Amino acid sequence: MGITFIKKPWPDEESLSCLDAHVRQWFKSKFKNLTPPQRYSFKLISKNKNVLITAPTGSGKTFSAFMVILSDLFRRSKQNSLMDGVYCVYVSPLRALNNDIYRNLILPLREIRELAGNHICDVRVGIRTGDISPYERQKQLRKPPHILITTPESLAIILNSKRFLEKLKTVRWVIVDEIHELASNKRGVHLSLSLERLREAVGKDFVRIGLGATLHPLKEAAGFLVGYENGKLRSCKVVDVSWFKPFDLKLICPTDDIIYTDADRMNDLMYKELDKIISSHNTTLVFTNTRSGTERVVHHLKNTGIYNEEEIAAHHGSLSRDIRWDVEDKLKKGLLKAVISSTSLELGIDIGYIDMVVQIGSPKSVTRCIQRVGRSGHGLNDTAKGIIIGMDRDDLVECAIMLRCALDHKLDKICVPKNCLDVLIQHIVGMALYKKWRVDEAYQLIKNSYCYHNLKHDVFIQLLHYIAGHYADLEDRNVYGKIWFDEKNKMFGKRGRYTRVIYYLNIGTIPDEVKVDVYTIQPKKYVGSIEEEFLERLRKKDIFVLGGKTYEFKYSRGMRCYVEEQKEETPTIPAWFSELLPLSYELAQEIRKFREKMFQTLKKENKKDDNVDKILSTLPIDHRSKKAIKQYFETQYHYLQKTIVSTKKIIIEETYDLKKRKILVFHTLYGRRVNDTLSRIIAIAIGKKTKSDILTTINDNGFTILLPKNKNIDIKEILREIFSLDIIELLKKNIRKTELMKRRFRHTAARSFLVLRNYKGHKISVRKQQINAQTLLRTCEEINKDFPIIQETYREILEDIMDIENTKKLLKDIKNGKITYKIIKTPIPSPFAHSLIVLGEPDIILMKDRRQRLIELHEALTKKLSQKTKKTVTTQIS
């Protein structure tokens, strides 16, 4: 038992000897040699070992998992022992990837059968997702595929299809592809429970095979894949060949002067670099960080007149499936010169030969960077090539360290959500539809999932009470029991005629989301619409831009947001905020180390230029990036009077924003999730002290707090007060009043069948769902403030959206003196604070105002530095 790492591969001939003769003959006719993951996996899978394989895109991962399985199926066929049942279940998060795998298996199956002779029966492969027609599903019942390709959601539905479940009794292998994409969210949690339910239905263990390109830590990913048996982790062999493929990575800066190049000129220079890259490669995949950015880049490239309009395409989630499929098809056929994407092409499907990946702006994590760049150089011996174009100084520093980490094989950690009660509620209902359960038997099955291994028994009983409808207050709101629960005899099972229908029509973890209509209050007038995820971030008195005007958020009702126009007010929430990916905690840590190293080097007066240049020369960056980063650090160092920024010291800067309002800038480079959490805690404490609402602005490098007029704040006293508080309870009280709580409660309520998305075949509008959720939230609180669905909403916000654990650790380290802080007063914000001060549109196309304000800040700072220098010289002369 346990997780072990396999260090040594088997020789090719020994690995191939595991295969049936005709399968081996086919394989050798197609491929010269085994790829690195295949040299490990063939032998391990043939020995029925659970295996986690991490290897780059284009390394033969698919056949690493499937060849031994195909071999076994053909052997059975020859021996007339291949039954009409499913032997292998393949699960991936993407339907497009499922279709791709299907196409990639059909040809080998046909060709191997032809080699073996027509006397053997077909090895069948089939897809089971929401796209499959009722006719096809019926056909699969009569002649089930031996290899079933599906998604996490469809697998959960299959487990409650009694007739098809019989066809799963033969399952011997389960393959989980793109495991890194599933393990870190609720779709993966859902899948982990489905695998345990499948294990119970089959009656014996099956072989689990996990595939992924970017996994860290591998033990966590392996644990997620295999789960527990009798309280101990099942065994798993880990094959790590993720770094055998070489990477060619580079950060470039489009301008010689990143500070004084205005927005229009910067745009022109960026497109000049992009044109140069695209024209010198066959096919270039360009990633932007927002869908709007994707559309603008495509628009520009098509209007240059350099490219044929048919050679340039956009690919993102807002486009129709047919358009996306058409783009993917053209990519495979080599018909496109460049494809611009936000996130939709960073994983999964085989998109043919791409020889260059370009990322505009930071992708915010090493793992995401590797995932995207790994889409290039698809051949086994090809180099994966990637270029990041940095558009501001923070971007340049961030991306430089990111690329260094990538070359040093340092990935971000995956974080597996634990004890998600809403997902568990879905599965308990699903289990009750299958059969009557003893409570202890069901509890043990659930605890076998890696995601629920530490679930408390009393919480499980609490869930059973809720699902059984033991709360009269909820019945008054037309929320009825889906199961019966006999607490005395410790049994539960299905209840009601409509439970099965409710389960099938409301299963899944992905919430319904639509745009929110924005109206002014007086006069009542429609202004436009915003994304619901953007509304989640709004708090009363927040200012945001819509249609070129600034509005103050007042309140929301259902799917409507009510505002008042506020002319000439500075936005507190930028319009793109909801689209931005947060900087990973691990990468933030590496950037902090780099900052400390640079400042320590600057402190050494002798040969400091040589030392700084030496540090910068170790980074995969061009000369313009080096110049910009060096200047950035030198200006910060001298402006803050040679204050050393370190991993063990936080700088708190008391300064003034562009409107001469007093602000505190917390230089807390811990990523946006920690800064979101920490800024709320400090803002709540200051707000209580001053009896006022406190406005905060956050990014990945820190946060600002706008201080109330004529109020003195002792930050040391504020921090001492925070150290004595229960910060989780403090945050819960704060979150309860927010849009974030309202919206996330709807999501958890929908997953928990408290709010239905679909009833008796009728789709319930998101607006109605939201109104119902707001009413039910109050009802649940009246029953118990720790009601399971409320608990889960807070858990999701604090752990998945914010980062409560790393924030608690940071505060504990400050309290214990492991991390110190220094308060510095500055008349003008220091360079490291500039991006926070002018937090506006970072999109590479629309950044005119932002760049102009950055220039103004830098000019004021340069002037102040110059005055300091003159004063010093005058004093020395006198």
Side-chain angles (χ1 to χ4, degrees):
M1 300 292 272
I3 293 159
T4 53
F5 289 77
I6 306 300
K7 301 292 184 187
K8 191 178 174 185
W10 282 266
D12 283 14
E13 282 308 310
E14 190 175 345
S15 291
L16 287 167
S17 68
C18 301
L19 305 180
D20 165 82
H22 291 109
V23 175
R24 183 165 64 245
Q25 184 185 344
W26 175 86
F27 188 88
K28 291 174 93 170
S29 72
K30 297 290 179 182
F31 308 103
K32 287 182 182 178
N33 301 299
L34 271 68
T35 65
Q38 291 163 1
R39 290 190 179 108
Y40 289 87
S41 65
F42 284 10
K43 198 77 176 173
L44 290 168
I45 296 170
S46 71
K47 290 180 174 182
N48 296 322
K49 303 293 185 187
N50 295 325
V51 184
L52 176 68
I53 302 166
T54 175
T57 305
S59 61
K61 279 200 301 290
T62 303
F63 282 145
S64 297
F66 274 113
M67 286 317 299
V68 170
I69 295 169
L70 296 185
S71 176
D72 190 280
L73 294 175
F74 275 106
R75 275 196 190 116
R76 287 170 186 268
S77 180
K78 289 174 184 179
Q79 294 162 4
N80 293 319
S81 61
L82 186 63
M83 294 187 286
D84 278 342
V86 176
Y87 284 83
C88 172
V89 177
Y90 168 93
V91 186
S92 96
L94 302 170
R95 289 182 189 180
L97 180 54
N98 285 343
N99 294 329
D100 209 49
I101 292 292
Y102 177 80
R103 286 191 294 266
N104 289 341
L105 286 177
I106 285 293
L107 185 63
L109 287 172
R110 193 179 72 229
E111 291 178 345
I112 294 167
R113 187 173 184 271
E114 286 168 1
L115 275 174
N118 290 331
H119 61 280
I120 66 166
C121 67
D122 283 332
V123 172
R124 297 185 298 271
V125 59
I127 299 177
R128 188 97 170 188
T129 66
D131 292 337
I132 298 305
S133 67
Y135 169 75
E136 185 62 31
R137 286 199 289 271
Q138 284 301 314
K139 200 169 131 189
Q140 287 180 359
L141 265 176
R142 293 190 299 273
K143 280 278 184 184
H146 300 112
I147 299 170
L148 179 70
I149 297 169
T150 190
T151 60
E153 293 77 13
S154 292
L155 178 58
I157 290 170
I158 290 166
L159 289 169
N160 282 99
S161 171
K162 286 197 175 179
R163 288 174 67 199
F164 198 82
L165 190 59
E166 286 302 310
K167 311 297 181 185
L168 293 176
K169 302 281 187 184
T170 47
V171 166
R172 290 196 61 209
W173 304 275
V174 172
I175 300 169
V176 180
D177 206 349
E178 303 291 359
I179 195 169
H180 54 282
E181 181 66 13
L182 286 167
S184 56
N185 59 54
K186 286 189 175 181
R187 291 186 78 197
V189 175
H190 205 283
L191 175 62
S192 76
L193 281 171
S194 289
L195 292 181
E196 296 310 325
R197 288 175 59 195
L198 179 62
R199 160 69 182 80
E200 195 271 345
V202 171
K204 60 179 183 294
D205 275 334
F206 41 73
V207 175
R208 303 183 191 215
I209 303 163
L211 306 175
T214 45
L215 287 168
H216 175 74
L218 287 166
K219 280 192 174 180
E220 179 92 346
F224 168 79
L225 173 69
V226 297
Y228 288 81
E229 189 81 45
N230 299 322
K232 292 183 179 177
L233 263 181
R234 294 185 180 99
S235 64
C236 186
K237 307 297 181 187
V238 178
V239 173
D240 182 7
V241 286
S242 50
W243 300 104
F244 79 84
K245 197 172 183 178
F247 278 80
D248 180 357
L249 304 171
K250 189 78 176 236
L251 168 67
I252 63 171
C253 176
T255 175
D256 280 318
D257 190 344
I258 200 163
I259 295 166
Y260 287 107
T261 305
D262 66 35
D264 290 337
R265 178 66 180 147
M266 181 64 102
N267 256 352
D268 291 342
L269 291 169
M270 188 278 294
Y271 280 120
K272 191 177 174 183
E273 292 290 345
L274 195 56
D275 287 335
K276 199 190 300 179
I277 296 164
I278 292 170
S279 60
S280 60
H281 293 89
N282 293 320
T283 305
T284 302
L285 176 57
V286 182
F287 284 103
T288 66
N289 284 336
T290 63
R291 291 174 184 180
S292 54
T294 292
E295 291 293 351
R296 291 189 195 107
V297 172
V298 169
H299 179 73
H300 171 89
L301 291 175
K302 285 186 174 180
N303 287 346
T304 57
I306 300 171
Y307 311 99
N308 182 325
E309 190 168 324
E310 296 300 312
E311 292 180 310
I312 308 292
H315 191 291
H316 57 72
S318 294
L319 295 170
S320 73
R321 185 179 65 185
D322 289 344
I323 291 173
R324 294 198 308 271
W325 282 6
D326 183 54
V327 171
E328 290 159 18
D329 189 53
K330 285 178 178 173
L331 259 177
K332 288 180 186 180
K333 290 174 179 173
L335 301 175
L336 295 172
K337 191 70 180 162
V339 176
I340 295 72
S341 177
S342 49
T343 59
S344 54
L345 282 177
E346 76 179 31
L347 13 121
I349 61 164
D350 182 352
I351 47 177
Y353 190 78
I354 289 166
D355 49 351
M356 174 58 76
V357 170
V358 177
Q359 167 73 47
I360 299 173
S362 172
K364 294 294 176 183
S365 90
V366 182
T367 299
R368 195 174 294 110
C369 175
I370 290 295
Q371 190 75 40
R372 290 178 175 183
V373 173
R375 305 303 271 152
S376 68
H378 205 69
L380 185 64
N381 298 313
D382 295 331
T383 297
K385 294 170 72 177
I387 291 173
I388 300 182
I389 303 177
M391 300 301 288
D392 64 40
R393 295 185 296 180
D394 286 327
D395 244 12
L396 292 176
V397 174
E398 190 176 297
C399 293
I401 305 309
M402 181 188 301
L403 295 182
R404 181 70 266 160
C405 288
L407 294 171
D408 290 343
H409 305 170
K410 291 179 181 175
L411 294 173
D412 314 293
K413 287 182 180 177
I414 56 166
C415 185
V416 179
K418 306 283 171 63
N419 298 327
C420 305
L421 302 183
D422 50 357
V423 175
L424 181 52
I425 286 165
Q426 275 192 28
H427 274 279
I428 293 170
V429 173
M431 289 165 73
L433 291 172
Y434 174 56
K435 69 172 192 179
K436 293 176 186 177
W437 289 83
R438 285 184 288 107
V439 168
D440 290 345
E441 175 194 12
Y443 178 60
Q444 192 52 58
L445 182 151
I446 289 158
K447 279 173 64 73
N448 284 345
S449 159
Y450 186 76
C451 305
Y452 293 95
H453 187 62
N454 297 317
L455 180 74
K456 292 179 180 174
H457 191 269
D458 61 334
V459 173
F460 180 55
I461 298 298
Q462 198 180 0
L463 292 188
L464 291 174
H465 280 300
Y466 155 66
I467 307 165
H470 290 176
Y471 298 103
D473 290 359
L474 288 177
E475 284 212 356
D476 292 342
R477 297 287 178 188
N478 298 319
V479 178
Y480 302 103
K482 279 79 181 174
I483 65 170
W484 57 262
F485 170 38
D486 182 343
E487 192 168 9
K488 184 181 176 185
N489 292 313
K490 296 184 178 177
M491 297 284 292
F492 70 89
K494 182 192 77 151
R495 168 186 168 190
R497 286 184 303 157
Y498 291 116
T499 300
R500 187 175 295 277
V501 177
I502 286 169
Y503 176 78
Y504 282 146
L505 293 178
N506 293 275
I507 196 168
T509 61
I510 302 168
D512 291 335
E513 288 195 347
V514 294
K515 295 221 178 211
V516 177
D517 292 330
V518 180
Y519 286 84
T520 53
I521 300 170
Q522 286 294 337
K524 188 176 178 183
K525 186 175 117 184
Y526 176 70
V527 176
S529 64
I530 55 175
E531 300 287 341
E532 189 177 12
E533 200 174 343
F534 180 69
L535 177 61
E536 280 185 349
R537 294 291 177 173
L538 292 178
R539 288 173 276 184
K540 281 185 181 177
K541 297 192 178 181
D542 269 337
I543 307 291
F544 66 96
V545 179
L546 185 61
K549 295 182 178 179
T550 49
Y551 297 95
E552 181 182 331
F553 171 65
K554 291 297 184 182
Y555 61 91
S556 75
R557 292 276 186 276
M559 300 310 288
R560 285 189 176 184
C561 166
Y562 291 92
V563 298
E564 278 183 5
E565 188 176 347
Q566 297 288 355
K567 291 178 181 175
E568 298 178 7
E569 280 289 335
T570 305
T572 56
I573 302 280
W576 42 264
F577 190 83
S578 63
E579 290 189 27
L580 268 194
L581 300 160
L583 181 72
S584 71
Y585 182 79
E586 290 75 30
L587 181 53
Q589 198 169 24
E590 293 299 323
I591 299 168
R592 288 201 309 277
K593 289 177 186 174
F594 174 74
R595 280 188 176 186
E596 179 173 28
K597 193 174 182 181
M598 286 288 283
F599 284 121
Q600 291 288 6
T601 305
L602 285 166
K603 191 179 179 183
K604 298 169 185 173
E605 292 298 326
N606 296 330
K607 298 181 183 176
K608 65 180 178 185
D609 284 348
D610 290 342
N611 288 331
V612 167
D613 288 338
K614 195 174 177 182
I615 293 169
L616 294 174
S617 67
T618 64
L619 304 174
I621 61 179
D622 69 354
H623 69 282
R624 289 169 174 166
S625 301
K626 285 177 187 173
K627 178 185 171 185
I629 293 170
K630 183 178 179 181
Q631 185 187 41
Y632 193 26
F633 275 83
E634 285 179 344
T635 311
Q636 176 77 10
Y637 179 71
H638 292 299
Y639 184 66
L640 288 190
Q641 299 172 340
K642 302 184 179 181
T643 298
I644 297 292
V645 176
S646 77
T647 53
K648 301 296 181 187
K649 184 193 289 181
I650 292 168
I651 302 297
I652 303 169
E653 189 176 348
E654 192 177 302
T655 187
Y656 299 88
D657 69 6
L658 292 160
K659 292 197 162 190
K660 307 299 179 190
R661 297 177 299 185
K662 199 172 185 182
I663 59 167
L664 290 175
V665 180
F666 287 74
H667 294 272
T668 47
L669 208 172
Y670 292 90
R672 194 167 82 225
R673 291 174 63 226
V674 168
N675 287 335
D676 188 0
T677 320
L678 186 60
S679 65
R680 284 174 192 263
I681 294 165
I682 293 173
I684 293 164
I686 293 175
K688 278 185 178 177
K689 186 72 72 181
T690 60
K691 295 181 173 58
S692 55
D693 290 326
I694 304 297
L695 288 177
T696 63
T697 304
I698 64 167
N699 71 6
D700 290 306
N701 295 351
F703 60 92
T704 66
I705 286 182
L706 178 62
L707 295 173
K709 283 182 182 178
N710 307 318
K711 301 272 185 180
N712 290 319
I713 303 296
D714 184 344
I715 198 64
K716 291 180 182 177
E717 186 186 331
I718 294 292
L719 286 171
R720 278 196 298 272
E721 189 177 315
I722 287 167
F723 296 148
S724 65
L725 296 172
D726 181 337
I727 63 167
I728 291 179
E729 285 307 311
L730 182 79
L731 283 166
K732 281 183 178 179
K733 282 179 187 173
N734 172 259
I735 289 163
R736 176 60 186 89
K737 304 166 195 168
T738 63
E739 286 299 318
L740 185 57
M741 180 69 182
K742 285 187 200 173
R743 306 285 147 185
R744 291 291 163 156
F745 181 78
R746 187 190 88 237
H747 295 177
T748 54
R751 292 188 199 106
S752 308
F753 304 138
L754 182 68
V755 169
L756 298 182
R757 294 180 290 179
N758 203 311
Y759 185 60
K760 295 183 182 178
H762 298 289
K763 191 163 176 60
I764 297 166
S765 71
V766 179
R767 177 180 171 276
K768 195 167 182 183
Q769 288 179 44
Q770 186 62 48
I771 291 167
N772 291 344
Q774 284 170 222
T775 304
L776 286 163
L777 173 54
R778 290 189 290 273
T779 304
C780 291
E781 283 178 327
E782 286 164 11
I783 294 168
N784 184 346
K785 291 220 179 273
D786 286 328
F787 196 75
I789 300 158
I790 296 173
Q791 268 189 62
E792 176 53 29
T793 307
Y794 283 127
R795 190 213 63 78
E796 183 176 303
I797 292 169
L798 292 172
E799 294 181 19
D800 301 347
I801 298 171
M802 298 181 194
D803 188 347
I804 188 65
E805 288 308 314
N806 281 317
T807 305
K808 279 163 63 179
K809 182 178 180 300
L810 174 59
L811 285 170
K812 185 181 176 183
D813 286 346
I814 295 170
K815 182 182 179 181
N816 295 339
K818 287 183 181 177
I819 291 177
T820 60
Y821 61 91
K822 184 174 183 178
I823 301 166
I824 292 175
K825 294 186 179 184
T826 58
I828 294 160
S830 68
F832 280 11
H834 286 189
S835 289
L836 259 171
I837 301 300
V838 298
L839 192 53
E841 177 61 64
D843 185 285
I844 53 145
I845 315 298
L846 301 174
M847 57 189 284
K848 202 166 191 169
D849 296 339
R850 179 173 179 264
R851 288 205 67 81
Q852 187 52 44
R853 281 178 286 178
L854 281 169
I855 290 169
E856 288 166 14
L857 267 174
H858 186 77
E859 284 176 341
L861 184 137
T862 306
K863 190 176 176 183
K864 189 63 69 177
L865 265 175
S866 175
Q867 287 169 355
K868 274 186 185 178
T869 307
K870 281 179 185 174
K871 273 186 185 176
T872 306
V873 172
T874 307
T875 306
Q876 286 172 350
I877 291 170
S878 57

